[in-house]
Structures are given as C-alpha cells and as structure tokens.
Amino acid sequence: MNKPRTITQIIEPEYVIEGAGVRLRRSIAPRVSNTYDPFLLFDHFAFNDPVEGPIRGFPMHPHRGIETVTYMLEGSVNHRDSLGNSGLIGPGDVQWMTSGRGILHEEMPRRGPDGKIYGFQLWVNLPARLKMIQPRYQEVKESSIPTLKKDGASIRVVAGSYFGQTGPVTDIAASPVYMDVSLDPDVKFSLPIPASHTSLAYVFEGEAVFAGDPPANEGVTVASVRMVRLGDGDEIQVRTENHSVRFMLFSGEPFGEPIVPFGPFVMNSREEIEQALADLRNGTFVTS
Ligand code: FE2
C-alpha cells in the first residue's frame, strides 16, 4: 500500500517588492538552509485591477546556477536575453530556463485583453556539476501541454507523468513533477511520487483536503492562497469536499549539496559567488 505524504508545513506567502517595483506573493526564497531542495523560490504575481497603474517589470538582470520556470495563466511576459533570444510567454505557456553559467535577461509583464496579469515563477536548483553549463530554454506553448480530464479532475502536465501522459519539459536535473491541477467538488486525486522527492503544492484557488496521518487520516484542509510542504511518503493524495480547488504541484529530487544564494545567483560556495560578481564586472559573465 502506498504511504500518503502528509502536510509538514503550511506557508502563508509574504508580499515582497522585486524588479522595478513589482509586488509579488513569495512563498519560499533561497536560503543557505536549502530547506526545499531542489526548489529555491516561488513567486506569484497578479495584477488583477487595471487601475493599479503602469505595469512594472524585471529589467535586465543576471542569473547563474539555477533554472527559472515561468508559467502564465493570464496576460503575458515579454522576454529578452543577452544571447539574442526573445519571445512572448502567453497565457498557458511555460518557459523553463536553465541559466547554467549565465544569462542576462529582461522579463516584462503585459496585461491580457481583460486587463489582468497572473502567473508564477519557480526557481529550481542545478547540481554543482551542471551550474556552469551553457544556458538552455524549453519553451512550451499552451497547445503542447497535455491536459488530462478525468472524473472531475483536470490536470495540465508540464513535467512528469500522470496516467501515462508525460509533460513536454524533459531532461531536467531535478527529475521534476510540475503540474497544474484543478479538481471539482467531491473529487479525489492521487499521484505516485518517488519517496526521495521533495514535494510542494501551491493552492491558489478554492480549497482541498491533503492526506492526514494514519490511523485517523482525516486530512488537513488548506484554503487558498497557501504553499504546503508534503512529508515522507510515496503518494500525493488530495481530495475536495464542497469546494473546487486549483493548485500547482511541484516535486523533485534533492541534490543534497550546500548552497550559497546571492540575489539571482545560487552557487555552491562563496568563491563561486565572488567569481560570478567578478565575471559581471569584467564582462565575462555571458559567453556565447
Ligand atoms: Fe529573471
């Protein structure tokens, strides 16, 4: 019998200001403690009121040693980098960017036709052996992300597999699961997950009950907007009662390496951070 992963932590996102004054809801941030290894950061950006004023974005900034995963639900992000890549991340699209040794990029949100912007960015770590690889993008359009509809559940599979359907993002060091899960009321969802993984769920609409500890196994109700960390086990079990729910599910293989975060860089040692800063100063940060 599978052992359900029960909730070990419920995180209330904090409001932070990033970029050129963008207000975000941040659930986790890079720390030396590396608590959510291989995951480093999760930001939720939403501008749902057109009178909020001009949209500020994220002007040119560097990254090294990580992957940034941008997923838009409404509106879009105009992206441009130092290697000459550019494009629009539209509603339902995912950009999985492996910064490797370094990129400089600009991420500028735009409102959709109804004036809204809604999206997420997850940072995933790279292991020491891959931190200095050449940058790489996996850009996935909305239409090429499989959506499984089954018994009141609708699951968009970006990475990992669900009922034989594998997501389009592959060859990622953390062997991640990345899914957008919607459940109608009174629906059960379960997903086998390797016991070695770190698993997180970000509940952003409605509410759901996550597995509780046996023998009572009554579960824990989590209402939006919350990040939950799921503990040891080999299956994720979520059910809805009177409400629907929508949550992002992230799971990945920890690397078990020390990390030194410094702004947009996450390396393994202080010396590597110094090197990144020196490369930026010397104009040797980006190599084509
Ligand atoms: Fe960035």
Side-chain angles (χ1 to χ4, degrees):
M1 201 175 116
N2 290 332
K3 180 179 184 307
R5 287 177 175 256
T6 58
I7 288 181
T8 56
Q9 190 184 8
I10 299 177
I11 301 164
E12 184 169 353
E14 287 178 8
Y15 281 102
V16 297
I17 305 288
E18 277 289 353
V22 185
R23 194 161 174 255
L24 302 163
R25 279 174 156 161
R26 177 164 292 168
S27 305
I28 64 171
R31 302 249 186 280
V32 173
S33 56
N34 206 4
T35 310
Y36 306 100
D37 183 10
F39 302 113
L40 298 164
L41 171 143
F42 185 73
D43 281 344
H44 171 178
F45 41 99
F47 302 87
N48 289 334
D49 181 356
V51 300
E52 270 179 281
I55 296 301
R56 300 181 174 95
F58 305 90
M60 272 303 169
H61 59 276
H63 287 291
R64 176 176 281 183
I66 62 167
E67 302 187 285
T68 67
V69 184
T70 307
Y71 180 36
M72 296 306 295
L73 296 176
E74 297 193 56
S76 57
V77 167
N78 206 5
H79 172 262
R80 190 163 66 90
D81 80 7
S82 51
L83 302 171
N85 301 301
S86 65
L88 201 64
I89 309 167
D93 298 348
V94 172
Q95 182 200 62
W96 200 296
M97 188 275 284
T98 305
S99 79
R101 62 158 290 121
I103 59 138
L104 290 151
H105 75 167
E106 178 184 273
E107 300 161 284
M108 304 307 269
R110 287 183 180 176
R111 293 188 192 282
D114 57 0
K116 294 183 179 178
I117 296 176
Y118 201 100
F120 304 122
Q121 189 169 86
L122 174 72
W123 290 11
V124 186
N125 200 13
L126 286 168
R129 68 186 168 84
L130 299 177
K131 281 196 180 290
M132 295 299 277
I133 58 172
Q134 287 301 312
R136 181 177 71 142
Y137 288 89
Q138 295 191 56
E139 306 206 87
V140 185
K141 290 292 174 201
E142 189 268 339
S143 56
S144 52
I145 299 174
T147 302
L148 260 112
K149 292 187 194 295
K150 190 174 178 301
D151 304 329
S154 173
I155 293 121
R156 303 196 77 213
V157 185
V158 175
S161 295
Y162 183 73
F163 277 95
Q165 190 71 255
T166 300
V169 173
T170 56
D171 299 320
I172 301 294
S175 307
V177 167
Y178 184 108
M179 296 181 188
D180 174 356
V181 180
S182 299
L183 307 177
D184 291 342
D186 202 20
V187 166
K188 285 192 168 72
F189 167 83
S190 65
L191 178 71
I193 290 276
S196 53
H197 271 201
T198 300
S199 301
L200 302 170
Y202 188 72
V203 179
F204 62 99
E205 285 174 19
E207 64 177 55
V209 183
F210 287 76
D213 285 317
N217 202 18
E218 286 164 355
V220 177
T221 301
V222 178
S224 58
V225 174
R226 294 285 185 279
M227 176 74 88
V228 297
R229 186 198 179 132
L230 301 167
D232 293 342
D234 56 11
E235 188 165 279
I236 288 171
Q237 295 179 4
V238 185
R239 69 171 197 274
T240 48
E241 293 180 336
N242 300 324
H243 299 86
S244 60
V245 73
R246 189 168 181 188
F247 62 94
M248 300 300 299
L249 182 61
F250 315 119
S251 190
E253 192 68 43
F255 300 121
E257 296 177 350
I259 60 165
V260 179
F262 186 85
F265 314 132
V266 180
M267 302 303 288
N268 298 108
S269 70
R270 188 75 227 168
E271 292 69 31
E272 288 166 348
I273 295 293
E274 299 293 344
Q275 186 61 52
L277 293 168
D279 285 345
L280 267 183
R281 275 195 307 273
N282 301 335
T284 51
F285 187 79
V286 172
T287 53
S288 54

